[in-house]
Each structure stands twice: as structure tokens, then as C-alpha cells.
Amino acid sequence: MLLRSLLPVCMRGVRSAGTPRVMHQLASTTKPALDISGIYPPISTPFDEREQVDYDKLEENLQKYSSIPFRGIVVQGSNGEYAYMSREERLEIVHRVRQKLPKEKILIAGSGCESTQATIEMSRQMGEAGAEAVLVVTPCYYRGRMTSSALVHHYTKVADSSPVPVILYSVPGNTGLDLPVDAVVALAKHPNIIGIKDSGGDITRMGLIIHKTQHLDFQVLSGSASFLLAGYAVGAVGGVCALANVLGAQVCELERLCVSGQWQEARKLQLRLIEPNAAVTRSFGIPGMKQAMEWFGYHGGNCRSPLVPLTEQEQKELRGFFTNNGWL
């Protein structure tokens, strides 16, 4: 009922098929520094049997993704296992992806580290490696002290120094920390902070952020395919969706239906994506996503330890979520 009640008022930020992308902030008269509207897969990193990055398979995945109407690619997000990589590996992946990615596609690179100084340096290097924007996850190791004041200070320092625009990244499922709304609103005023990827799944919170920043050039991306329709309904401009690694064309079709106002068709498709998305995120995580990629003709590859592959029983359960919704 919530989604149905939202549909009549969600046309803000919607574009008709064949028309240029528009921002949801109609009150703004200036263009954003970088329009990030659209769908992005936060691509996985295939590892070989020795748990080394398999760059050949990574490039083959990029080639296959080139036929899907993604707006761009996110590298070194949570699904890329960035937390298990060296600085050199992270930068090399960004460099190689930029070389293979068409020029019109946007490359967003995760540059978040625990310290502000390390994040500043990583953001600078990501920009030099070819990223058009950096995605900065909340530092969380000392989460008890990560107050709004501390987070505003952190992101302001990073944005002041970054050579490319900054996108905030709130993913409480991994960090145990939600970027507070008041901090997001304060940071949205920074000229080099252009948006947020919100993976928490609280549509009320997402709508409140959009409402409080609608006079600014600030863009909100849904952080999951499970609530992509709901995100568009309250004014989000796109999504960074793990499921797009597996069902990229279908996630992009959901985007098309939403932005062209075909809400009944969008609702039917959204419902079929909820269980598969939950399976490759909350239920089975990265090992599940990589297994599903293999079924759909992509290279998931091995995970890097301490992540381990799915058991046979887990694979059976995972496959059920795709078959029961008509995808396999």
C-alpha cells in the first residue's frame, strides 16, 4: 500500500523515454558537477585458485556488461571485496577498468579507508587512475565515536582534497553505522559532495534526505535492487545494485519502467527481483553473488579468504530463489 500511495506523487525526477535525464531537484537552476543518474553494477573481483586477481576474467565481464545500458560501473565497492585488497591492487583494478570502459560510461571508485588521511590519499590516487567520482564509505572501526560531528569533519576534509566529486556511502549492514540524516544534509552543501549511495533500505529516511536537499545539486542512489522502485518513487535518481552483476538487463529495465512512468509494469518486475536480490546480498553475500554470476555466463571466480564458497546445500537454496522467480 505504501508504494501504491507513493506512485501518484513520484513523477519528480522522472524522465520520459527518449528524453534527456533530469535531476529530481526541480528547484535547482544549476546543473550538478556530475550527473550520476542511472544504474551501476558494483562489480565483483574474480580471483583465481591462488586468490590472485584474475584480470583477464575481469575484462571479459566488462565486455559482457558493455551490451547492457548501465550508466557506468562501480569498482571497489563492498561487492568488490575491497577490504581484502592491497592499495596497489585497488588502484590497478581502477586503472584497468577505466582503460576498458567506454568513455561515455562513468567510473565510480570506492576510496574509503578508516582514517581521514588515508581516505584523502586513496581518493587522490583513484582520481589519477581514472575514476570520475569516488564512493566513500563511513569509517566504522570506532563506531561509538563516529558522531555526526566526526563524520561531517571526515567527509569535509576528504571532499576538500579530492580531485573528483565525492559520493557518500552509507551501508549499515556492513559497517553497523548509518550516516545520520543531519550529517548528510550538512554535507550536501559542500560543492564537491554530489550525492549518496544509501544501502540501508529505509525509504522514509531516503525520502527525508531528498526532501531536505531538494534545493541543492545532491543526488540519491538506491543501494539495492530490492527497493529500487521505492527509491525512484521518492525521488532517487538511480541505483548501485549488487543484483545488476547477475541480472543487469532486468535491473536496467526496471529503471526504464520507473523513469517512463510505467509503474504497474515496474511493480511486477520489482517483486520478481526482491528474493534473488536478498539471496545475493543478505542471505549468501558475495559467495552467493559470485555463484549466481557463473550460472548467468559471467566470471564470478573465487572469493578471497576468509570468505568461502557456498556449500552444495547453499547452492541449491540460492538456485531456488532464481528459479522460483522465473530467472533460471
Side-chain angles (χ1 to χ4, degrees):
M1 293 301 294
L2 174 60
L3 292 182
R4 186 174 299 172
S5 65
L6 285 170
L7 296 185
V9 298
C10 64
M11 296 307 292
R12 182 183 62 187
V14 171
R15 71 183 192 278
S16 299
T19 61
R21 295 179 182 270
V22 295
M23 295 301 300
H24 68 269
Q25 301 92 339
L26 296 184
S28 176
T29 58
T30 60
K31 294 182 178 180
L34 179 66
D35 178 2
I36 55 174
S37 56
I39 300 298
Y40 302 78
I43 61 172
S44 70
T45 305
F47 296 103
D48 62 22
E49 293 78 8
R50 298 178 297 113
E51 297 189 10
Q52 299 302 304
V53 179
D54 192 327
Y55 290 106
D56 290 337
K57 288 185 176 179
L58 175 62
E59 292 176 5
E60 287 180 22
N61 282 343
L62 291 172
Q63 180 61 38
K64 293 177 181 179
Y65 289 145
S66 66
S67 63
I68 301 173
F70 292 132
R71 184 67 193 286
I73 297 289
V74 170
V75 296
Q76 299 304 299
S78 301
N79 289 282
E81 297 173 74
Y82 79 90
Y84 298 160
M85 291 187 189
S86 68
R87 180 185 66 85
E88 291 76 17
E89 287 175 323
R90 294 177 69 179
L91 292 171
E92 180 65 16
I93 288 173
V94 173
H95 175 69
R96 292 198 183 212
V97 170
R98 183 65 275 177
Q99 285 186 320
K100 295 297 181 180
L101 200 63
K103 291 182 179 180
E104 68 274 11
K105 301 289 186 180
I106 298 173
L107 176 58
I108 300 173
S111 66
C113 303
E114 279 301 305
S115 78
T116 302
Q117 188 57 45
T119 305
I120 288 172
E121 181 62 16
M122 183 64 77
S123 298
R124 181 185 64 78
Q125 292 178 324
M126 290 291 190
E128 292 174 351
E132 276 83 38
V134 289
L135 183 69
V136 182
V137 69
T138 50
C140 62
Y141 188 81
Y142 300 108
R143 67 176 57 86
R145 295 300 301 167
M146 290 299 99
T147 61
S148 290
S149 177
L151 291 168
V152 168
H153 176 77
H154 170 73
Y155 279 108
T156 299
K157 289 286 189 180
V158 172
D160 284 347
S161 301
S162 176
V164 295
V166 170
I167 301 169
L168 311 176
Y169 183 17
S170 182
V171 55
N174 288 353
T175 64
L177 178 68
D178 223 340
L179 188 55
V181 172
D182 64 320
V184 176
V185 174
L187 291 166
K189 300 173 184 176
H190 194 290
N192 203 32
I193 296 177
I194 62 171
I196 182 172
K197 176 195 174 188
D198 196 323
S199 299
D202 185 339
I203 298 302
T204 301
R205 164 192 157 87
M206 189 179 296
L208 185 60
I209 290 173
I210 292 167
H211 175 62
K212 288 183 173 293
T213 61
Q214 60 185 324
H215 60 291
L216 302 169
D217 293 322
F218 190 75
Q219 305 159 83
V220 175
L221 296 170
S222 296
S224 173
S226 288
F227 50 87
L228 187 59
L229 184 151
Y232 275 114
V234 297
V237 302
V240 180
C241 308
L243 189 61
N245 284 289
V246 182
L247 297 176
Q250 292 82 354
V251 175
C252 287
E253 173 64 5
L254 179 55
E255 176 213 15
R256 187 191 69 80
L257 292 171
C258 289
V259 299
S260 61
Q262 300 179 65
W263 294 106
Q264 294 306 319
E265 293 84 354
R267 176 176 171 272
K268 293 176 183 177
L269 179 54
Q270 174 68 89
L271 293 176
R272 293 178 61 208
L273 295 176
I274 290 174
E275 286 187 320
N277 182 80
V280 301
T281 54
R282 293 195 304 271
S283 299
F284 300 106
I286 291 170
M289 182 186 70
K290 288 191 164 186
Q291 179 60 69
M293 288 176 66
E294 296 287 343
W295 291 335
F296 283 84
Y298 300 103
H299 298 297
N302 294 290
C303 298
R304 182 167 273 184
S305 300
L307 291 175
V308 295
L310 300 185
T311 65
E312 288 187 13
Q313 179 58 34
E314 288 174 328
Q315 289 186 38
K316 182 178 178 181
E317 293 175 17
L318 173 64
R319 193 174 186 90
F321 287 115
F322 284 89
T323 57
N324 293 342
N325 289 279
W327 302 119
L328 279 173

